[in-house]
Amino acid sequence: MAAKLKKGDKVVVLAGKDKGKQGEITAVMPKDDKAIVDGINVAIRHTRQSQTSQGGRVEKSMPIHLSNLALMDANGKATRVGFREEDGKKVRFAKTTGDVI
């Protein structure tokens, strides 16, 4: 099945502790149905100091389930994704505005 959300898409979080926040997808894991979004679902990892790096608290974006994400349309609102054929190519479009993504 074609991917509704891809790397580089602007998305809105629909559920969870970061509900309502917006970000850009940096990685998608289709096998797990998850994606990593910049600044969303951030966990703090404590690292020990070494000769090369400073120790301390390092923030890391953790994966979030694709069902909790929605694509942002041109107006900045959450929208569902549809597929249609234009000039013999399958393209994604926003259901709210009908614009091709």
Side-chain angles (χ1 to χ4, degrees):
M1 193 176 109
K4 294 187 178 195
L5 297 175
K6 295 183 178 181
K7 182 179 177 179
D9 286 349
K10 300 265 190 238
V11 293
V12 181
V13 180
L14 300 176
K17 66 176 185 177
D18 295 320
K19 182 177 178 178
K21 289 188 182 177
Q22 303 170 356
E24 186 175 324
I25 295 179
T26 55
V28 179
M29 296 168 256
K31 188 188 271 186
D32 303 327
D33 286 333
K34 293 189 178 200
I36 295 177
V37 183
D38 260 351
I40 305 295
N41 198 21
V42 175
I44 294 174
R45 173 108 169 97
H46 295 79
T47 58
R48 184 177 293 236
Q49 183 176 358
S50 67
Q51 286 184 332
T52 57
S53 64
Q54 181 76 25
R57 297 162 52 127
V58 178
E59 292 184 350
K60 181 181 178 187
S61 292
M62 300 301 285
I64 187 168
H65 201 272
L66 292 176
S67 66
N68 296 330
L69 300 174
L71 193 72
M72 269 179 31
D73 61 5
N75 304 330
K77 293 191 173 183
T79 181
R80 291 181 293 159
V81 179
F83 292 95
R84 65 178 171 219
E85 221 172 280
E86 288 186 6
D87 302 327
K89 287 195 171 186
K90 188 175 184 180
V91 294
R92 298 183 301 158
F93 72 96
K95 293 259 186 159
T96 55
T97 59
D99 297 337
V100 174
I101 299 165

